[in-house]
Amino acid sequence: MSRPDSSPEPGVYDVLLACAVGALTCGIIFLVLHLGSYGWQVAP
């Protein structure tokens, strides 16, 4: 049983979740930058 004053250490799933969120964030940023090069025109 853990002590009440100790904080839990991040596990492998927490690290994987952080990597997934970072990858999604980077993907969204790159897509926004790429769309900006088209002048924000979605349809041709």
Side-chain angles (χ1 to χ4, degrees), residues 6-15:
S6 66
S7 61
E9 295 183 11
V12 65
Y13 294 112
D14 296 323
V15 174

Side-chain angles (χ1 to χ4, degrees), residues 1-9:
M1 193 161 165
S2 64
R3 295 176 299 189
D5 59 348
S6 66
S7 61
E9 295 183 11

Side-chain angles (χ1 to χ4, degrees), residues 9-43:
E9 295 183 11
V12 65
Y13 294 112
D14 296 323
V15 174
L16 288 174
L17 178 64
C19 289
V21 169
L24 283 172
T25 304
C26 288
I28 290 171
I29 290 171
F30 288 136
L31 284 173
V32 165
L33 291 174
H34 190 68
L35 184 60
S37 67
Y38 286 104
W40 292 95
Q41 296 295 322
V42 177

